[in-house]
Amino acid sequence: DAGVTQSPTHLIKTRGQQVTLRCSPKSGHDTVSWYQQALGQGPQFIFQYYEEEERQRGNFPDRFSGHQFPNYSSELNVNALLLGDSALYLCASRGTGIGETQYFGPGTRLLVL
Amino acid sequence: AQSVTQLDSHVSVSEGTPVLLRCNYSSSYSPSLFWYVQHPNKGLQLLLKYTSAATLVKGINGFEAEFKKSETSFHLTKPSAHMSDAAEYFCVVSALNFNKFYFGSGTKLNVKP
C-alpha cells in the first residue's frame, strides 16, 4: 500500500511564474491538506479539501489555490510566485472518521529565483 | 485559537541517555496533540497522539508523552537515546475534528556517540 505521494520532488521557478504541485493520498483516504514549510520553521496549514471542495483555509493569499479530483488526488497551484514562496510543500491525507490520523507525503521542494 | 510552543530549538544528548523535548500548547477547545518526527529528506512520521483518553501516551520507537492539562504541556520523552533518533521533532495541536494542524517550530535532536 503506497503512502501519500507527491510530485515533483524538486522544482525551480522564477518570480512571477505559476506552479502546480500534485498529491495522491494514501489508499482509502478522502481528505487532503496542504502545508508550507519554510526553511527552519514548522509546517503551516494552507488549506484542506474534502469532496472536491475547499473546507478549511489557513492564512494564505488567494495566489494559493487548489483542486481535488474525484479520485481524491489534489493539486496546489501558486500564481505570481514570490521569493518568499520558496519552501517545502507537504501534502497530508486522512480518512473522514473522528480521530483519523493524518499521514504526510515527502514533500515538494520549491525554489523561486 | 490554538498554538504550540516548543521550548528548545536544539537538544543534544549522548547515546543511551534520556531524551526530553518540551512542548506547551494553547487551545480554545479540548485539544488533540501529536508528536511527529522528520528525518532529513523524508516525510513527517507520526510518533504518537493524544485524543482525550489516557494522559500517558506511548508511541513508536520507545517514545512516550504525558498530557498535563494543568501545565498545558505535552513533553516527549525516551529513556535511552539511539543514534537513529537524531532528527527534527514537531509538536502539533489540533481541534478534535482534526481538520487543521498547528505545528510548533520544531526541535532538532542531536545524538552524540
Side-chain angles (χ1 to χ4, degrees):
Chain A
D1 172 31
V4 181
T5 60
Q6 294 185 243
S7 64
T9 56
H10 295 80
L11 205 51
I12 300 175
K13 292 286 187 178
T14 57
R15 280 178 298 175
Q17 285 190 312
Q18 179 264 344
V19 68
T20 297
L21 310 181
R22 296 176 176 82
C23 171
S24 291
K26 186 176 168 62
S27 178
H29 288 181
D30 55 9
T31 302
V32 173
S33 299
W34 287 92
Y35 292 80
Q36 180 195 66
Q37 185 178 14
L39 200 61
Q41 297 182 22
Q44 289 198 312
F45 176 79
I46 303 175
F47 43 53
Q48 182 185 80
Y49 277 84
Y50 171 66
E51 292 187 339
E52 302 181 48
E53 290 189 6
E54 184 182 294
R55 296 288 178 165
Q56 295 246 8
R57 191 177 182 92
N59 189 26
F60 279 81
D62 292 344
R63 297 187 299 109
F64 289 78
S65 63
H67 189 77
Q68 186 179 34
F69 300 93
N71 67 352
Y72 309 122
S73 67
S74 177
E75 287 182 349
L76 164 66
N77 301 292
V78 186
N79 293 323
L81 284 167
L82 305 174
L83 296 180
D85 295 331
S86 296
L88 180 68
Y89 288 85
L90 296 165
C91 173
S93 75
R94 66 175 183 89
T96 48
I98 297 294
E100 287 278 343
T101 296
Q102 192 159 223
Y103 292 86
F104 285 82
T108 293
R109 190 165 295 282
L110 172 65
L111 177 61
V112 182
L113 300 176
Chain B
Q2 302 184 84
S3 66
V4 164
T5 301
Q6 291 185 243
L7 299 169
D8 306 292
S9 58
H10 292 81
V11 169
S12 185
V13 301
S14 297
E15 191 174 21
T17 65
V19 175
L20 170 64
L21 305 183
R22 298 182 296 165
C23 171
N24 286 100
Y25 71 90
S26 172
S27 177
S28 305
Y29 312 98
S30 180
S32 292
L33 293 157
F34 310 77
W35 277 97
Y36 279 83
V37 61
Q38 188 174 40
H39 288 94
N41 301 315
K42 292 196 174 181
L44 289 158
Q45 181 185 19
L46 179 68
L47 284 177
L48 50 81
K49 65 179 180 181
Y50 164 78
T51 55
S52 75
T55 57
L56 183 62
V57 182
K58 293 188 183 298
I60 62 172
N61 301 335
F63 285 96
E64 62 181 40
E66 186 172 8
F67 173 71
K68 292 187 176 180
K69 186 175 180 179
S70 60
E71 299 176 10
T72 61
S73 69
F74 190 59
H75 301 335
L76 182 69
T77 60
K78 182 173 181 177
S80 176
H82 191 273
M83 294 298 292
S84 61
D85 295 328
E88 189 159 21
Y89 292 78
F90 291 96
C91 183
V92 182
V93 65
S94 170
L96 275 177
N97 62 11
F98 285 17
N99 278 339
K100 191 185 293 189
F101 276 19
Y102 297 87
F103 282 75
S105 54
T107 298
K108 289 185 178 174
L109 176 64
N110 177 45
V111 182
K112 298 175 289 187

